[in-house]
Amino acid sequence: MTEEKLKDMLKEEIDKLLDKEWPELKFTNYPTPTNKHFHRTKIKNIEEIKKIKNYVLEKLGFIPVYIFLLKFGKFDYIGPYRNLEKGILLLYLLLSGKSLNYFKNENIFPYSTLQQLTQQFYVDKYKDLNDWLDKKLQNMFSNSKIRLLYANLYNPDNFKHITMYLDGHDT
């Protein structure tokens, strides 16, 4: 098979993977949560949200945050704050390593609301989140056909059949 034909096949397989596993990148119909909580208060702003957004963006980039917020945005979470900003706040908690008490002490976000939000997300939605994440990690980056085509194109002649690297060291 010619190199050009292999490149075409590889591009076609990558396009299939993107269509199948990354439909979120072509979204036009964004998820809208069904409101289970009817807040009497107006939507409130989260203190220092710009700083928090910049931190999350700097650490992860646009695409992972976008994919996470699409998944997060399918559900209604407690509190009179914007759902997307609550999602960014959860990402900030994960990335910064700060505890819930940090937000309480710094008066950035109400402690009780944050506690309920983390309970809803990590406990109540655990199975849904876990299943979604497992599926994404198993399928969204590659498949055996893509690895074989790539190996055929770019591996040295005696290693056309190798599709992964094992790296280790002795202690």
Side-chain angles (χ1 to χ4, degrees):
M1 210 174 286
T2 68
E3 185 176 325
E4 200 59 42
K5 176 73 173 157
L6 286 172
K7 284 182 180 179
D8 289 342
M9 289 172 65
L10 179 61
K11 182 180 178 349
E12 185 179 317
E13 282 302 312
I14 291 172
D15 289 343
K16 284 181 192 174
L17 178 82
L18 288 173
D19 287 342
K20 181 180 177 191
E21 301 298 334
W22 292 81
E24 298 92 352
L25 296 178
K26 297 179 181 177
F27 247 19
T28 55
N29 187 16
Y30 295 100
T32 306
T34 54
N35 290 333
K36 293 179 184 170
H37 307 98
F38 299 99
H39 308 289
R40 290 185 207 153
T41 58
K42 288 176 158 182
I43 296 292
K44 296 180 181 179
N45 293 318
I46 297 174
E47 296 291 322
E48 299 184 36
I49 193 64
K50 285 187 181 185
K51 183 177 109 180
I52 291 169
K53 285 178 182 178
N54 287 336
Y55 181 86
V56 169
L57 184 60
E58 181 182 302
K59 294 289 183 184
L60 294 177
F62 289 103
I63 292 177
V65 174
Y66 175 74
I67 300 294
F68 174 81
L69 290 176
L70 282 176
K71 179 64 178 173
F72 183 85
K74 289 182 180 180
F75 305 105
D76 185 34
Y77 296 93
I78 196 149
Y81 301 90
R82 291 172 190 86
N83 250 8
L84 293 179
E85 289 182 354
K86 290 184 263 187
I88 291 171
L89 193 63
L90 282 178
L91 285 174
Y92 180 76
L93 273 170
L94 285 170
L95 295 169
S96 68
K98 304 221 187 278
S99 69
L100 299 182
N101 286 329
Y102 168 80
F103 289 90
K104 181 180 181 180
N105 295 338
E106 297 294 318
N107 202 22
I108 295 172
F109 194 82
Y111 178 78
S112 61
T113 305
L114 189 57
Q115 200 171 22
Q116 288 176 326
L117 177 63
T118 55
Q119 167 75 26
Q120 280 182 297
F121 185 71
Y122 293 116
V123 178
D124 300 346
K125 306 277 187 247
Y126 173 79
K127 181 168 176 19
D128 182 52
L129 178 65
N130 199 41
D131 292 347
W132 174 76
L133 197 53
D134 283 349
K135 181 181 176 279
K136 287 293 185 190
L137 289 174
Q138 288 172 6
N139 302 311
M140 71 193 291
F141 298 110
S142 186
N143 61 38
S144 57
K145 196 167 185 180
I146 289 173
R147 288 191 295 276
L148 284 170
L149 287 167
Y150 194 87
N152 247 318
L153 272 168
Y154 300 108
N155 284 6
D157 287 336
N158 292 334
F159 298 97
K160 295 291 185 188
H161 62 288
I162 308 264
T163 62
M164 69 176 194
Y165 288 102
L166 295 175
D167 189 18
H169 65 280
D170 294 324
T171 54

